[in-house]
Amino acid sequence: MPRVSVVIPCYNQGHYLQEAIQSVLNQDYDDMEIIIVNDGSTDIATLEVLQTYTLPHIHVLHTDNQGLSSARNNGIAMARGQYILPLDADDAIAKDYVRRAVAELDANPQVGIVYGEAEFMGAASGRWNLPPASLRRMLTRNVIFHAAFFRKMHWEMVGGYKTNMRYGLEDWDFWVSLLEQGGAVTRLDGLVYFYRIAEVSMTTQLRAKLSHSLYSYTRLMLNHKKLYMQHPLQLAKLLAIVLRNCIYHTIGYKVQR
């Protein structure tokens, strides 16, 4: 039974997948499995790459296209590990990330989320400067990248990633769900994660579509309605951010016209 399950959703990203897989195989920790979730890929090259993974500790789960939240949930549901690391198919991790995160989770039962420092790759470079996470801070800004460790039992406790976050922010919503249950979060010192910036991504598409952005922020607040009502200042700050985004989109639209 592996201690760690690395869950990698993949939708037509076969040209990046091998780099993500190799970063996991390069870890200085080996008590783990890799679960690749083929979320209904249609790209022939991606399907061919998926057929090459035949090692006993690498599993490929084929599903219809259901979106990122469902893909992660499907992979985690079949995971045997006590600790889960979600990793996107176009990203990578540092070789000591798994070992260091497992040591932190083993030593501190109250810790529910472990992450570290990150760096951009692809269309951008440099450090991703994120402040330390706390529940109050997370109510107005997501400062935990998606590739953070958590315990499978906590995923079960909160019901997994919410599938109503269909246009993005699903990882933010999930971290808030975990923190809402009182779990602690730890940020490791040093670089552990490499986040690819693409010319077009779910994040850039979210910023480009006002309706999707409004839906995602509204859904985030409604998913945690009771929590936001207990923190009116954070709710006001988040509403101000949403309003600012609306103004930005409106002005941008008028300029383009």
Side-chain angles (χ1 to χ4, degrees), residues 198-230:
E199 295 297 334
V200 177
S201 66
M202 183 180 291
T203 302
T204 57
Q205 289 173 342
L206 175 63
R207 291 172 180 167
K209 295 183 179 180
L210 177 58
S211 61
H212 289 184
S213 179
L214 285 174
Y215 173 88
S216 297
Y217 279 105
T218 301
R219 194 69 263 170
L220 173 70
M221 289 182 278
L222 291 176
N223 284 347
H224 306 281
K225 181 178 178 180
K226 182 178 179 179
L227 181 62
Y228 275 104
M229 294 303 293
Q230 294 171 347

Side-chain angles (χ1 to χ4, degrees), residues 36-257:
I36 306 168
V37 183
N38 174 26
D39 188 34
S41 295
T42 57
D43 175 58
I44 299 299
T46 295
L47 296 175
E48 290 177 349
V49 167
L50 289 170
Q51 292 177 359
T52 66
Y53 294 108
T54 58
L55 295 174
H57 61 290
I58 300 181
H59 315 284
V60 180
L61 173 64
H62 298 279
T63 69
D64 296 331
N65 181 248
Q66 300 175 35
L68 186 53
S69 290
S70 291
R72 286 182 182 154
N73 286 337
N74 290 333
I76 297 169
M78 70 174 291
R80 298 175 297 159
Q82 178 183 0
Y83 305 139
I84 306 296
L85 172 64
L87 179 65
D88 282 358
D90 57 346
D91 296 335
I93 55 176
K95 66 179 181 180
D96 60 350
Y97 187 20
V98 176
R99 173 178 55 79
R100 297 179 63 202
V102 168
E104 182 65 31
L105 289 164
D106 283 348
N108 300 288
Q110 75 279 8
V111 170
I113 303 172
V114 177
Y115 70 116
E117 298 179 36
E119 187 172 274
F120 296 119
M121 65 178 182
S125 60
R127 285 297 180 107
W128 188 0
N129 294 316
L130 295 170
S134 67
L135 177 59
R136 287 181 179 273
R137 178 168 278 156
M138 288 291 292
L139 289 177
T140 57
R141 178 187 175 189
N142 184 17
V143 298
I144 304 176
F145 48 71
H146 81 271
F149 279 79
F150 55 89
R151 303 174 192 270
K152 183 173 180 179
M153 66 177 184
H154 290 164
W155 170 84
E156 294 170 340
M157 184 186 304
V158 302
Y161 290 88
K162 293 186 176 64
T163 56
N164 59 17
M165 303 298 292
R166 62 177 65 98
Y167 300 122
L169 307 187
E170 70 292 323
D171 52 336
W172 184 1
D173 179 271
F174 180 66
W175 302 137
V176 172
S177 294
L178 294 185
L179 293 173
E180 191 173 4
Q181 298 300 316
V185 56
T186 294
R187 185 173 71 170
L188 302 171
D189 292 331
L191 180 64
V192 300
Y193 171 58
F194 303 93
Y195 178 67
R196 187 179 302 277
I197 299 295
E199 295 297 334
V200 177
S201 66
M202 183 180 291
T203 302
T204 57
Q205 289 173 342
L206 175 63
R207 291 172 180 167
K209 295 183 179 180
L210 177 58
S211 61
H212 289 184
S213 179
L214 285 174
Y215 173 88
S216 297
Y217 279 105
T218 301
R219 194 69 263 170
L220 173 70
M221 289 182 278
L222 291 176
N223 284 347
H224 306 281
K225 181 178 178 180
K226 182 178 179 179
L227 181 62
Y228 275 104
M229 294 303 293
Q230 294 171 347
H231 295 84
L233 179 58
Q234 280 67 38
L235 174 60
K237 288 181 178 180
L238 185 56
L239 288 171
I241 292 171
V242 174
L243 178 60
R244 184 182 64 194
N245 287 346
C246 289
I247 294 173
Y248 171 81
H249 280 284
T250 302
I251 293 175
Y253 174 74
K254 289 180 178 180
V255 169
Q256 291 175 2
R257 293 277 291 188

